[in-house]
Amino acid sequence: MKLQSEIKTDSLAIGYRTRRGTKTVAGGIGATVDGGRLTCLIGPNGAGKSTLLRTLSASQPRLGGSISICGRDIDSIGAKEMARTVAIVLTEKPDAANMTVGELVCLGRSPYTGFWGSFSAGDRRAAAEAMATVGIDGLARRRVATLSDGERQKAMIAKALAQDTPVVMLDEPTAYLDYPSKADMMRLLHRIAHETGKVVFLSTHDLDLALQTADTLWLMGKGGRLSIGSPEDLALDGSLAAFFNHDGLEFDPASGLFNISLPPTRSVGVAGERGTRLAMLAKALRRNGIAAAPPRPGTDCIEVTPTEFLVTKGGKTTAAATIAEAVERLIGSK
């Protein structure tokens, strides 16, 4: 049976209190983070994403408004009970180099240990199940110091799962990972949210991955602006374009992704049957400041065939085996 989990905010204000006064990062936040769905918090640097995460997890005091977790006001939840309610996975590497992965993950059971802090057979079983869920059960005896960045991040997520909380919050869980590992991590978090019913709420700068995997996006802009919805709805109402479009970057509503804009300085004729080879050639030309256009008699052009690229330049036609070779022949001196 899935857990029924959620976070609710009402007129929430976040920021800092210092000797010089109060700095409000964002205010008037009234929203819900639903369990069973992957929610991604995205926005530019300095928008306040980490501040919001810390505030929702009670790691930092709020400036105003209210927060409830699983139906309870956050002020009524003590420290020990909070550790059984919210698990946090941070970007920083854990100070656990000499521990085994199994020992690290077992630390997630600390909120449930007795006076002596010893782990029971049930605690070890919960840790083993968490490692199996994230696919690192074969690493249990490995030292944390020997892990790759991706393996270490999975170990930290396993620790959070072993903590057995209805809410899991993650700050930049894909930082420092290569692209395949980033994709694996987002798929894993999506699966955990959907299969367990937990709140899985994370901040990320990996915009394209968030757009492809998140059920709900929180777009946080400068000055505390916040837009919430599915990636598709935020694409249709223009929120995504408004948040991130600037010179050289454009949101494509058709694909739901962002493209780097490289304005062409000239055009060249391109012919051939529509398909992947033609699309990839147009992409390579665009990167070199050339727009693909219908061929015109007596002008330079590239014809795409199933086996080669026929480059016509200065009235002379030569065959190229690859796109790189074809583009070089077109724009180079050859």
Side-chain angles (χ1 to χ4, degrees):
M1 180 178 178
K2 291 184 176 180
L3 298 167
Q4 295 301 311
S5 310
E6 67 178 12
I7 301 174
K8 284 189 175 181
T9 67
D10 184 20
S11 301
L12 176 65
I14 63 172
Y16 304 89
R17 289 188 175 94
T18 68
R19 293 180 180 178
R20 297 182 178 180
T22 299
K23 179 182 179 182
T24 301
V25 174
I29 301 173
T32 300
V33 186
D34 294 313
R37 300 170 64 80
L38 178 62
T39 303
C40 292
L41 173 63
I42 59 178
N45 288 331
K49 299 188 298 298
S50 294
T51 302
L52 178 58
L53 273 179
R54 288 194 298 268
T55 305
L56 292 179
S57 65
S59 302
Q60 177 175 326
R62 65 189 182 276
L63 299 182
S66 64
I67 305 169
S68 66
I69 300 179
C70 301
R72 293 188 57 187
D73 189 283
I74 198 170
D75 292 336
S76 69
I77 306 175
K80 186 172 183 179
E81 192 174 359
M82 183 62 73
R84 297 182 179 185
T85 305
V86 178
I88 306 172
V89 181
L90 301 175
T91 306
E92 291 80 7
K93 295 180 181 180
D95 185 17
N98 292 322
M99 284 186 175
T100 66
V101 172
E103 291 169 340
L104 173 64
V105 174
C106 218
L107 287 179
R109 300 300 301 165
S110 296
Y112 306 95
T113 57
F115 177 79
W116 300 107
S118 57
F119 298 114
S120 67
D123 292 326
R124 298 185 190 283
R125 188 163 50 249
E129 290 173 357
M131 286 186 283
T133 297
V134 301
I136 60 167
D137 38 328
L139 303 179
R141 297 182 182 277
R142 285 264 303 274
R143 295 285 174 184
V144 174
T146 69
L147 301 179
S148 68
D149 288 336
E151 290 169 337
R152 183 173 54 252
Q153 198 72 323
K154 286 183 178 180
M156 295 303 296
I157 292 173
K159 175 177 175 287
L161 292 181
Q163 200 170 328
D164 194 23
T165 60
V167 176
V168 180
M169 295 188 186
L170 309 99
D171 191 11
E172 295 289 342
T174 57
Y176 312 124
L177 304 184
D178 58 33
Y179 194 83
S181 297
K182 289 176 186 285
D184 286 344
M185 183 63 65
M186 295 298 286
R187 283 196 297 263
L188 170 64
L189 295 172
H190 183 275
R191 178 167 61 84
I192 288 171
H194 282 250
E195 291 182 357
T196 66
K198 295 177 184 289
V199 166
V200 180
F201 187 52
L202 64 92
S203 69
T204 182
H205 281 105
D206 289 312
L207 194 55
D208 282 349
L209 286 174
L211 291 175
Q212 294 179 71
T213 58
D215 297 297
T216 304
L217 291 177
W218 285 36
L219 306 183
M220 194 168 193
K222 297 284 188 180
R225 293 180 299 123
L226 189 66
S227 297
I228 299 173
S230 72
E232 294 76 22
D233 287 328
L234 293 176
L236 289 175
D237 69 17
S239 294
L240 280 166
F243 264 75
F244 294 101
N245 272 7
H246 63 82
D247 289 344
L249 184 66
E250 297 176 349
F251 180 72
D252 178 11
S255 67
L257 300 175
F258 284 85
N259 296 321
I260 296 175
S261 175
L262 298 169
T265 57
R266 65 186 178 108
S267 64
V268 69
V270 173
E273 185 176 348
R274 289 185 178 274
T276 302
R277 288 168 65 81
L278 188 68
M280 290 296 101
L281 173 63
K283 178 175 178 288
L285 290 171
R286 195 161 54 243
R287 187 171 62 250
N288 285 276
I290 304 171
R296 292 180 300 167
T299 62
D300 296 346
C301 70
I302 302 178
E303 181 183 356
V304 181
T305 77
T307 58
E308 59 189 357
F309 302 88
L310 302 177
V311 182
T312 299
K313 180 178 180 181
K316 180 182 178 182
T317 300
T318 58
T322 66
I323 289 176
E325 184 182 352
V327 173
E328 174 60 27
R329 292 191 180 189
L330 180 73
I331 65 177
S333 58
K334 297 180 181 179

